[in-house]
Amino acid sequence: MTQVTERGTPLPAAPRAGVRRRSPAAAACVVGGAVAAGLGLGFLAVLVIVLWISSPYPDSGPGGALHLAAGLWLLAHGTELVRYDTLSGVPAPVGMTPMLLVALPVLLMRRAARLGSAAEEDDEEVLPAAAVFSAVLCGYLAVGALATVYAAGGPMPADPISAAWHIPLVAVLAAAGGVWGARGRPLGPLPSWLPGGVRKAFVRPRYALALRAGAGGSLVLLGGGALVVGASLAWHGTEVQASFLSLTGVWSGRFAVLLLALTLIPNAMVWGAAYGLGPGFALGSDVTATPLGFPGAPGLPRFPLLAALPAEGPGTPLTWAAAGVPVVAGLAVGWFAVRRAREVSYGETALTAALGAVVCGLTMAGLAAASAGPLGSRRLSEFGPVWWTTGVAAFAWTAALAVPVAVAVHAWRTRPAIGPEGADVDEVGDGDRWHDSGVREIRWAALRKAAGALVPEMAAAVPPAVPVVPVAAPAPEPVAVPAVPAVPGRRAVTVVSGLDLDPGLLAPKPAEPVSAPLAPPVVGARVLARRKPPPE
């Protein structure tokens, strides 16, 4: 029915409720993505401006500092920068991303996606996950495109091709993680276009255990890498201190070097893990540091973390000790791959451990690729671990150790209980063996031993069980039972004869002697009569 005003003119149609609610929410998500990118840019801009102001020898104005901040923000996404002011005049690429710097855009983007997925009011309609994801991503990528254009006029512009896929990759992963966390971290359902067998296979517990085992092995490798790097820094403390003090003589420059070293600590952890795995890491196009030896790299720049490299020459027992890191990681993968259930087979346990080794190998390959990159041209064109060799080594170490460890742990957890006389409790039957008599006797003996004098010794009074041997007996002759007339108010009882019973079973059992009372007698107790409650 068309509504009209007092003058007879028709009123405009009211917008639908869904459109009125969803349009502001989608716009807010777009703004949230743009704000997340702006906060990351602003933080780096403030930091660079502070260092520029405190520097006694600034080589550019505030515009150059802001261009440098935009380049650092792009570098935090993995974008490769290009440095033109080199001694040789050849442009040098800078593609090594400080991994701690990546946490800034990831956390901001994830927070924006979580806020866009939550409703502030009870009557507000929540946007679908796909809508929130797309809106936040659009706002973030718009600011990223502007930052790429703005950084092109600075001293270190970004490679457009590298920025075209690195920024969307980081934004997509962070936004997907934020939406998934806001929805309660659901593990399903899987898309309907997948085959039914695939969807059923992915809901099995083995995949969750494999992810947990692979994550545990990766964390052990990273922790071991941090231990290797820390031990090397302590061993070469004098060289590290000299390298730090020789770079600059002002406190602002030393503070900038310290910040750069802190942002590169996750990279050093991955390098230490790759060193312990065996492939090591490259320090140029033809130099690789491994536990078996380090030929040396004379063209390296002076930096505190690089001053902690091993000494030149063949490996020593001290460098070979780094192989203990993947050994511990393999043991961790095998331990976390075991399910706490007796019905799981050994083949299932071995398969879960192997899948955990695959997850660990893929994780370390991705981390190695993210931590490496060029720092220049010619000799410094390859810097860091090779991703595929690191992943293969991580899989080989963990699979070789995790599978037998997981099978051994599973066998230990599902071992049969041994009775007091050495009998195997699992041979009693095929039922629930946890409640068998042998297991009950073991638990009762442990409980009696722990209780001490509170529980009397009853084992001596219990006669040993006598095995019953079945004897074939002749079939009894049928006996005619006269019919008994029914009496009103009484039940009819049918007596069946012909059963051969052992007289010893019907004889009364002798009283069992009690060695000690359950509780000591109470002396001087006074018994009071119970009073009735007063009538209401």
Side-chain angles (χ1 to χ4, degrees):
M1 181 178 181
T2 304
Q3 298 181 357
V4 295
T5 60
E6 296 178 354
R7 298 181 179 181
T9 58
L11 291 174
R16 292 178 298 176
V19 176
R20 183 174 61 253
R21 290 178 180 176
R22 289 190 178 184
S23 296
C29 290
V30 175
V31 174
V35 169
L39 287 177
L41 274 170
F43 175 79
L44 293 178
V46 170
L47 182 61
V48 172
I49 288 294
V50 169
L51 293 177
W52 175 79
I53 292 174
S54 59
S55 176
Y57 309 105
D59 56 351
S60 61
L66 293 178
H67 283 87
L68 181 59
L72 289 178
W73 185 79
L74 296 173
L75 183 64
H77 294 78
T79 304
E80 186 175 300
L81 305 181
V82 181
R83 186 165 55 91
Y84 289 99
D85 52 345
T86 59
L87 297 178
S88 61
V90 179
V94 179
M96 178 175 293
T97 303
M99 297 182 66
L100 190 60
L101 204 61
V102 182
L104 178 64
V106 169
L107 292 178
L108 291 174
M109 187 62 171
R110 186 173 182 273
R111 180 178 178 273
R114 286 180 61 90
L115 292 178
S117 300
E120 298 181 358
E121 300 178 0
D122 296 338
D123 58 345
E124 184 179 356
E125 186 177 356
V126 181
L127 287 176
V132 175
F133 174 79
S134 303
V136 174
L137 193 62
C138 288
Y140 196 90
L141 293 182
V143 178
L146 295 177
T148 304
V149 175
Y150 181 76
M156 296 180 65
D159 184 9
I161 299 178
S162 179
W165 70 274
H166 277 100
I167 298 178
L169 176 63
V170 175
V172 164
L173 295 178
V179 174
W180 181 63
R183 294 290 190 253
R185 298 180 178 88
L187 298 178
L190 295 175
S192 57
W193 50 267
L194 289 175
V198 176
R199 286 183 290 176
K200 291 180 180 179
F202 271 96
V203 298
R204 294 179 179 176
R206 75 161 69 115
Y207 296 101
L209 287 175
L211 289 175
R212 184 185 68 174
S218 302
L219 290 178
V220 171
L221 286 175
L222 293 178
L227 183 61
V228 170
V229 173
S232 182
L233 287 173
W235 187 265
H236 302 85
T238 305
E239 293 85 351
V240 172
Q241 183 180 5
S243 176
F244 178 75
L245 296 178
S246 63
L247 287 176
T248 179
V250 297
W251 68 269
S252 58
R254 292 178 178 176
F255 182 68
V257 173
L258 180 61
L259 286 180
L260 181 58
L262 290 178
T263 56
L264 287 172
I265 284 180
N267 300 61
M269 294 169 60
V270 179
W271 291 18
Y275 184 83
L277 288 169
F281 49 89
L283 295 172
S285 57
D286 53 353
V287 178
T288 304
T290 64
L292 299 179
F294 176 52
L300 291 178
R302 299 179 63 86
F303 194 72
L305 292 179
L306 296 179
L309 291 173
E312 299 180 8
T316 61
L318 189 61
T319 60
W320 300 340
V325 174
V327 172
V328 179
L331 297 179
V333 172
W335 176 266
F336 287 113
V338 180
R339 290 179 57 189
R340 297 183 179 272
R342 299 177 68 91
E343 66 273 7
V344 180
S345 62
Y346 291 104
E348 179 74 13
T349 303
L351 179 60
T352 305
L355 290 177
V358 172
V359 172
C360 183
L362 293 176
T363 303
M364 293 307 301
L367 292 176
S371 65
L375 282 180
S377 56
R378 299 178 182 176
R379 289 186 177 181
L380 299 180
S381 59
E382 297 179 6
F383 216 77
V386 181
W387 66 271
W388 68 269
T389 58
T390 304
V392 170
F395 167 74
W397 275 99
T398 52
L401 294 171
V403 173
V405 167
V407 173
V409 172
H410 180 64
W412 173 259
R413 288 182 178 178
T414 58
R415 68 189 185 280
I418 305 300
E421 298 180 358
D424 191 352
V425 178
D426 283 349
E427 296 178 358
V428 176
D430 296 333
D432 190 3
R433 297 170 180 174
W434 178 254
H435 299 284
D436 290 336
S437 59
V439 181
R440 289 199 301 270
E441 291 174 3
I442 295 174
R443 294 201 300 267
W444 173 250
L447 181 62
R448 185 173 61 248
K449 182 178 179 181
L454 296 179
V455 180
E457 292 289 340
M458 304 293 294
V462 179
V466 179
V468 180
V469 181
V471 180
E477 298 180 359
V479 180
V481 180
V484 181
V487 181
R490 296 185 180 180
R491 285 184 181 178
V493 180
T494 304
V495 180
V496 180
S497 60
L499 297 179
D500 295 335
L501 300 178
D502 187 4
L505 298 177
L506 302 179
K509 296 182 179 180
E512 299 177 353
V514 180
S515 59
L518 295 179
V522 181
V523 181
R526 184 179 180 183
V527 182
L528 299 179
R530 183 179 179 182
R531 297 182 180 180
K532 297 181 179 181
E536 298 180 357

